[in-house]
Amino acid sequence: MAENEWLSKDFYKVLGVSKDASDADITKAYRKLARKYHPDLNKTKEAEEKFKDISEAYDVLNNKETRQKYDAIRQFGMGGARFAGGSGNGGFDASGFSDVFGSMFGNGNGGNIRFSTNGGGPTNLNDIFSMFGGAAGAGAGRGYAQGNPYADYQAAPEPENGEDRTSKIRLTFRQAVKGATVSLSVDGKKFKTHVPAGVKDGQKIRLAGKGKPGRNGGKPGDLYLHVNVAEDPKFTMSGHDLIVDLPVTVGEAVAGAKVEMKDIDGEPVTFKVPAGSSSGTEVHVAGKGVKNGNAFGDLIGRVQIHVPAKPGLGLKHAAKEFDKASGDFAAELAEQR
């Protein structure tokens, strides 16, 4: 933009800053507007024109020398200097204008400025601008002087989210059933997290925001815990149910019985084995399984009929008599085999 057009432009208003704004405030305002209206980010014609305006304003106000020129010229144009027509010689009183420029270049220099209409001094704005060392019509903006309205713009770096991390954690079977609070360390910083009840071997747990930090305001990554659950010699999980083998005698299986054993906490629990149970029959105890919200799964006992490893003659004879008393049961079973 030519300097003789500065009178018609309020660069402070274009950037949305006050006339006493600091250099940092001006730069901050420019960057904010540039991100909003840059043609690479905003494809509208209005945005392109707006971007040119804010670039012009920034080119002038970001440079101390051109900002002083601009402020002085604006003050002159808005009545800061007083011009009065002379009588008979066509001259005028430029004392007010001298004060403006004297404040910039020293009272001695400012006081020596003379204005007239008969060739004795500068008679138009172009001559006034030349006092600053700038030719009339010269481009004030660095980018525009070079024919490139985007010369000074540097696009703000895009936010980058942080990378995810992975880690391993080993739990006892009981911790997996009950849930557990575990201590972890990331980049030397320790923190605690809760592992929910019912977690399975091989499962991944996502801890949001515990990965590597983001850049340029991006979000941090996540931490994924790979869970390894130790086996238990007695219990297994199926969904939210706990399963355990329930050993019973032949008599308990045939006649039915209340069979007591210990749960995962070591507390006694009673299974009601129905009469005529075979190995594999499942007997449920409600509410003794894995927590699921406000409810619990079941503890399931799978009947396993056991017999003595070394039965005596009397027991063998009783077993044969039992088969005879079972009627066709033994024959039917033989057919299934």
Side-chain angles (χ1 to χ4, degrees):
M1 166 180 281
E3 293 173 352
N4 58 5
E5 297 180 31
W6 285 358
L7 287 173
S8 63
K9 291 282 189 176
D10 188 343
F11 293 145
Y12 293 102
K13 184 176 180 180
V14 170
L15 293 182
V17 297
S18 64
K19 290 180 174 59
D20 58 354
S22 65
D23 292 343
D25 291 337
I26 290 172
T27 299
K28 181 179 179 180
Y30 166 71
R31 288 178 177 173
K32 180 179 179 180
L33 292 170
R35 284 194 294 269
K36 182 177 180 180
Y37 293 107
H38 190 274
D40 289 344
L41 306 176
N42 192 326
K43 304 296 184 180
T44 64
K45 182 66 176 179
E46 293 78 6
E48 182 178 354
E49 294 301 320
K50 183 70 174 178
F51 183 78
K52 290 180 181 179
D53 290 341
I54 63 178
S55 296
E56 290 173 350
Y58 180 69
D59 284 338
V60 173
L61 299 183
N62 186 51
N63 181 280
K64 182 178 180 180
E65 181 180 345
T66 56
R67 184 178 179 182
Q68 285 182 329
K69 290 182 184 181
Y70 174 74
D71 289 343
I73 291 167
R74 289 280 293 177
Q75 185 175 348
F76 159 65
M78 291 185 291
R82 295 178 302 279
F83 296 83
S87 59
N89 59 5
F92 55 85
D93 179 8
S95 59
F97 191 66
S98 299
D99 291 341
V100 172
F101 289 90
S103 66
M104 294 172 55
F105 300 105
N107 291 332
N109 292 336
N112 291 330
I113 299 175
R114 296 291 183 270
F115 301 87
S116 72
T117 61
N118 59 5
T123 59
N124 55 51
L125 283 179
N126 289 343
D127 294 330
I128 294 172
F129 294 138
S130 68
M131 294 179 181
F132 294 95
R142 292 184 299 281
Y144 283 84
Q146 299 170 6
N148 179 7
Y150 314 134
D152 277 346
Y153 179 75
Q154 292 184 353
E158 291 292 329
E160 296 182 25
N161 293 341
E163 296 179 4
D164 295 334
R165 302 177 191 265
T166 59
S167 185
K168 295 180 180 180
I169 185 172
R170 183 173 177 81
L171 303 176
T172 65
F173 184 81
R174 188 177 182 280
Q175 285 178 318
V177 170
K178 296 293 184 178
T181 298
V182 296
S183 295
L184 301 170
S185 178
V186 174
D187 292 335
K189 297 180 180 179
K190 294 184 178 180
F191 66 96
K192 293 183 178 181
T193 190
H194 182 71
V195 177
V199 67
K200 305 295 191 301
D201 183 61
Q203 186 173 335
K204 292 181 182 179
I205 298 176
R206 173 176 169 266
L207 302 180
K210 295 300 183 181
K212 295 182 180 180
R215 294 190 294 176
N216 305 322
K219 297 185 296 184
D222 300 330
L223 173 63
Y224 287 88
L225 287 179
H226 292 250
V227 179
N228 178 257
V229 179
E231 293 184 358
D232 188 90
K234 294 176 63 176
F235 295 90
T236 58
M237 267 193 290
S238 176
H240 292 91
D241 294 329
L242 283 179
I243 300 175
V244 63
D245 285 343
L246 182 61
V248 298
T249 65
V250 174
E252 290 171 331
V254 172
K258 292 182 178 180
V259 179
E260 185 178 283
M261 66 179 304
K262 294 182 179 179
D263 63 13
I264 190 71
D265 295 319
E267 299 295 327
V269 61
T270 300
F271 291 92
K272 296 180 179 179
V273 179
S277 295
S278 298
S279 290
T281 298
E282 294 185 349
V283 184
H284 289 243
V285 177
K288 290 293 184 177
V290 182
K291 186 175 182 180
N292 179 22
N294 294 324
F296 287 83
D298 294 344
L299 174 60
I300 301 174
R302 285 181 176 167
V303 172
Q304 300 292 326
I305 300 174
H306 288 222
V307 298
K310 296 180 179 180
L313 291 176
L315 187 55
K316 290 179 181 179
H317 177 74
K320 290 179 180 180
E321 293 299 319
F322 172 80
D323 285 347
K324 291 179 181 179
S326 299
D328 297 331
F329 175 74
E332 292 172 358
L333 194 60
E335 289 180 2
Q336 294 179 18
R337 295 197 291 263

